[in-house]
């Protein structure tokens, strides 16, 4: 992957202004810095102001693993599109009871192991249409992550377990993902091009389903294997990216 601010990447950014485009961002690790505790995350004030300015001219979307209600209070601006639960939940959409019930086996399993989870400093987050096991506070995160995967290996086949930044995500195999959310957004706003930015494995579905000419960006080190066309070194480069997008209008 080339760096987004290379000559090739900057050229692709410029082309976003030539077509009906939409700008799609993940939340944690993308718009918001990674923090010690997941409940402390929020979009910095300056970033929120840049996003508000950008949304005057182009549709702006946030597609996050958090629930919609949780994400709303952390953004500091109102995007044109907001999808939560890794793309399975659209803003103002109630929790799908069928999807929620699909996690009951996992919920029961985790409740049986609740004393161990508490002792290991694992926080369980039930988002209705997905679950998350946060282990950033653990003393031995590598060992705890392996144990969590081993624990979830006994769950039904329709359960999908993925890794994020110090979190194990538990999803349903047939639930809409971030790629499905991207396609819905493109169809709804009539965009033929897109900027798609994310920082972990759940964003790969959006990179794969994005239009061929889309500017897909994975945040992280070069060693990370991704279907994105470009990369950013870290979340700290988001402000510079938003500034370049705003300059497109000028």
């Amino acid at each position: 992957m080339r760096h987004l601010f290379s000559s090739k990447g900057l050229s692709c950014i410029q082309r976003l202004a030539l077509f009906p485009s939409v700008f799609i961002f993940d939340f944690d690790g993308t718009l918001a810095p990674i923090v010690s505790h997941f409940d402390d995350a929020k979009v910095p004030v300056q970033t929120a102001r840049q996003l508000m300015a950008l949304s005057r001219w182009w549709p702006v979307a946030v597609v996050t693993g958090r629930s919609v209600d949780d994400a709303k209070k952390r953004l500091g601006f109102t995007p044109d599109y907001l999808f939560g639960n890794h793309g399975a939940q659209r803003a103002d959409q109630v929790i799908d009871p069928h999807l929620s019930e699909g996690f009951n086996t996992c919920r029961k399993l985790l409740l049986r192991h609740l004393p161990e989870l508490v002792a290991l400093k694992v926080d369980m987050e039930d988002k209705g249409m997905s679950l998350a096991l946060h282990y950033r506070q653990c003393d031995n995160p590598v060992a705890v992550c392996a144990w969590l995967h081993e624990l979830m290996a006994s769950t039904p086949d329709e359960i999908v377990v993925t890794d994020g930044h110090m979190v194990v995500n538990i999803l349903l195999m047939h639930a809409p993902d971030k790629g499905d959310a991207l396609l819905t957004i493109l169809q709804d706003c009539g965009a033929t091009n897109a900027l798609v930015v994310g920082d972990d494995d759940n964003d790969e579905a959006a990179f794969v389903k994005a239009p061929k000419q889309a500017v897909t960006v994975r945040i992280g080190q070069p060693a990370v294997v991704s279907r994105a066309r470009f990369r950013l070194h870290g979340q700290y480069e988001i402000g510079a990216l938003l500034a370049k997008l705003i300059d497109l209008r000028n």
Side-chain angles (χ1 to χ4, degrees):
M1 291 183 290
R2 298 184 183 183
H3 192 272
L4 182 59
F5 298 156
S6 64
S7 58
K8 176 66 174 178
L10 293 174
S11 174
C12 289
I13 289 175
Q14 292 290 331
R15 288 179 59 82
L16 289 167
L18 303 179
F19 303 92
S21 298
V22 59
F23 302 146
I24 303 174
F25 301 93
D26 177 37
F27 177 77
D28 290 282
T30 301
L31 294 181
I34 296 295
V35 291
S36 297
H37 194 277
F38 71 93
D39 200 37
D40 295 330
K42 63 179 180 180
V43 174
V45 172
Q46 178 59 27
T47 303
R49 288 174 178 166
Q50 289 176 300
L51 290 162
M52 283 190 287
L54 197 62
S55 66
R56 295 171 190 160
W57 306 306
W58 287 282
V60 174
V62 176
V63 184
T64 173
R66 292 177 180 264
S67 69
V68 165
D69 287 342
D70 186 38
K72 278 182 179 179
K73 64 186 181 183
R74 303 176 187 278
L75 291 175
F77 80 108
T78 302
D80 297 280
Y81 298 94
L82 175 59
F83 283 77
N85 277 288
H86 307 281
Q89 179 192 16
R90 187 168 181 171
D92 302 321
Q93 173 191 1
V94 298
I95 297 294
D96 185 329
H98 174 71
L99 287 179
S100 183
E101 289 169 4
F103 293 103
N104 285 343
T105 300
C106 296
R107 292 185 178 106
K108 292 176 183 177
L109 174 64
L110 292 169
L111 285 174
R112 288 201 302 270
H113 289 273
L114 186 59
E116 296 161 89
L117 294 171
V118 172
L120 291 170
K121 304 176 186 175
V122 176
D123 290 316
M124 182 176 72
E125 183 185 11
D126 190 336
K127 295 174 282 189
M129 296 165 72
S130 67
L131 305 174
L133 302 173
H134 300 270
Y135 58 90
R136 187 171 296 275
Q137 304 295 322
C138 297
D139 299 324
N140 189 342
V142 174
V144 170
C145 179
W147 178 73
L148 291 173
H149 276 275
E150 183 179 346
L151 182 65
M152 300 313 300
S154 62
T155 55
D157 291 341
E158 65 266 21
I159 295 296
V160 177
V161 180
T162 67
D163 287 304
H165 290 290
M166 297 291 185
V167 59
V168 171
N169 297 301
I170 304 169
L171 316 171
L172 282 181
M173 182 179 297
H174 301 298
D177 59 22
K178 290 191 176 185
D180 297 316
L182 175 143
L183 295 177
T184 298
I185 293 166
L186 290 173
Q187 182 177 24
D188 189 82
C189 69
T192 58
N193 202 1
L195 169 77
V196 187
V197 190
D199 73 317
D200 66 28
D201 290 347
N202 288 323
D203 297 299
E204 293 294 325
F207 299 153
V208 170
K209 294 180 181 179
K212 184 178 180 180
Q213 71 274 19
V215 183
T216 51
V217 185
R218 175 80 181 245
I219 297 177
Q221 297 305 311
V224 174
V225 177
S226 175
R227 297 292 294 275
R229 298 173 61 195
F230 301 99
R231 64 180 175 85
L232 290 175
H233 293 303
Q235 191 277 333
Y236 60 87
E237 292 186 293
I238 281 293
L241 170 58
L242 294 176
K244 291 182 185 299
L245 296 173
I246 292 170
D247 284 345
L248 289 179
R249 184 64 180 178
N250 298 329

